[in-house]
């Protein structure tokens, strides 16, 4: 099943309204984010999906690299949202992954603030969002999703203690085309929900595993420690620090404190 990712298989009977109406499939790319940005500059349609069988220079958040071998899903979706909807894109993408995983496996994945999807406490998916905003207008937004599907974790000793894949957790292989289709369907559904003015915030908040936990958060050059108390509707985290003060963190990288 490793080899079933192709344009035909992804698009077969795929009934979406925006996301996935235009799919560009490449067997191998440096990074779907780079290709998506080029497509944005050319003015590609909203909802264009760039998907590849493997990446040679996969990009993660905070300038990290993203391991992206054959057997996983690496895709970017190009959108032209309103400025007011930008903070909801991460909620939309995270929820789409959670619903897709549930539909495909029956397992409830959890969201680790801000961008990680966990399965049994290990990272199964990472999301990277790159926006280009000029004044009050969004030129484009690109949502990059890396989902570990048929990844054999013993082949990746550096990450096997903290990361997992669908096949590792469910002990069976998955059709990459079917997983992609499910993911695109869920993204399309949630993007339409968002465009219709229905907030995704509460559903996203309720699926966060981070709240109530003692964490440290790296945000830019700053390091914060405290208890994750709340997330607000723009996606920011409110962290209660040891001295009792509450700090609002817009973006960062959270890790559990021992
Ligand atoms: C993270 O957790 O650090 C985010 C990882 C995002 C990886 C995806 S894979 C598809 C897209 N292309 C990339 O180069 N990165 C994103």
């Amino acid at each position: 099943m490793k080899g079933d990712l192709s344009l035909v298989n992804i698009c077969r009977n795929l009934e979406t309204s925006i996301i996935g109406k235009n799919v560009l499939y490449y067997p191998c790319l440096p990074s779907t984010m780079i290709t998506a940005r080029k497509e944005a500059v050319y003015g590609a349609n909203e909802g264009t999906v760039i998907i590849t069988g493997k990446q040679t220079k996969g990009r993660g958040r905070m300038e990290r690299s993203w391991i992206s071998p054959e057997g996983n899903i690496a895709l970017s979706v190009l959108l032209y949202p309103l400025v007011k909807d930008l903070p909801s894109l991460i909620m939309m993408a995270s929820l789409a992954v959670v619903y897709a995983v549930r539909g495909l496996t029956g397992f409830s994945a959890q969201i680790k603030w801000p961008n990680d999807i966990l399965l049994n406490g290990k990272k199964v998916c990472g999301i990277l969002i790159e926006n280009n905003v000029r004044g009050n207008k969004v030129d484009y937004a690109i949502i990059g999703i890396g989902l570990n599907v048929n990844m054999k974790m013993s082949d990746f000793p550096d990450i096997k203690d903290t990361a997992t894949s669908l096949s590792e957790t469910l002990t069976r292989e998955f059709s990459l085309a079917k997983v992609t289709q499910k993911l695109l369907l869920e993204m399309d559904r949630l993007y339409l929900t968002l465009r219709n003015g229905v907030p995704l915030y509460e559903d996203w908040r309720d699926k966060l595993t981070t709240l109530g936990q003692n964490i440290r958060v790296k945000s830019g050059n700053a390091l914060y420690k405290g208890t994750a108390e709340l997330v607000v509707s723009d996606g920011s985290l409110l962290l209660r620090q040891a001295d009792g003060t509450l700090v609002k963190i817009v973006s960062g990288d959270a890790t559990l404190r021992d």
Side-chain angles (χ1 to χ4, degrees), residues 40-242:
V41 172
Y42 297 150
N45 288 344
E46 174 159 73
T48 295
V49 174
I50 293 89
I51 178 160
T52 187
K54 62 175 178 183
Q55 297 181 120
T56 52
K57 286 203 173 100
R59 297 208 307 242
R61 296 178 64 241
M62 324 275 275
E63 320 227 323
R64 287 187 292 245
S65 59
W66 180 257
I67 300 173
S68 205
E70 208 177 332
N72 285 351
I73 286 175
L75 62 82
S76 294
V77 178
L78 173 63
L79 296 174
Y80 302 112
L82 298 173
V83 168
K84 74 168 178 57
D85 286 335
L86 282 181
S88 302
L89 293 185
I90 184 56
M91 302 177 196
M92 187 270 275
S94 306
L95 286 171
V97 176
V98 170
Y99 284 119
V101 168
R102 187 183 297 167
L104 291 158
T105 69
F107 274 53
S108 294
Q110 291 178 311
I111 304 169
K112 175 173 163 265
W113 184 91
N115 290 38
D116 293 348
I117 310 299
L118 310 182
L119 208 45
N120 289 344
K122 290 185 173 184
K123 181 163 171 171
V124 71
C125 174
I127 300 168
L128 176 67
I129 300 193
E130 292 178 355
N131 300 322
N132 198 0
V133 183
R134 258 189 289 176
N136 212 22
K137 182 168 181 312
V138 182
D139 272 351
Y140 60 83
I142 297 169
I143 301 179
I145 298 184
L147 177 62
N148 300 339
V149 181
N150 294 325
M151 192 180 202
K152 198 170 156 215
M153 300 317 297
S154 56
D155 291 344
F156 300 89
D158 290 353
I159 58 167
K160 78 171 179 32
D161 291 339
T162 53
T164 190
S165 63
L166 297 186
S167 66
E168 196 84 3
T169 311
L170 277 295
T171 60
R172 69 175 174 91
E173 289 222 330
F174 286 81
S175 152
L176 289 173
K178 290 214 170 89
V179 176
T180 304
Q181 287 196 331
K182 182 70 179 151
L183 188 54
L184 297 181
L185 279 166
E186 293 296 346
M187 284 185 94
D188 189 62
R189 178 179 68 78
L190 289 161
Y191 190 54
L192 287 176
T193 306
L194 186 64
R195 291 213 331 183
N196 287 334
V198 181
L200 303 175
Y201 160 71
E202 286 184 9
D203 194 11
W204 176 72
R205 179 198 61 198
D206 294 347
K207 292 182 173 54
L208 277 174
T209 174
T210 316
L211 297 183
Q213 290 189 329
N214 236 346
I215 55 171
R216 57 166 62 90
V217 183
K218 195 170 175 303
S219 177
N221 289 329
L223 183 67
Y224 302 96
K225 290 181 203 163
T227 307
E229 200 158 293
L230 195 72
V231 280
V232 288
S233 58
D234 70 359
S236 305
L237 177 74
L238 301 185
L239 190 77
R240 181 72 65 184
Q241 302 182 106

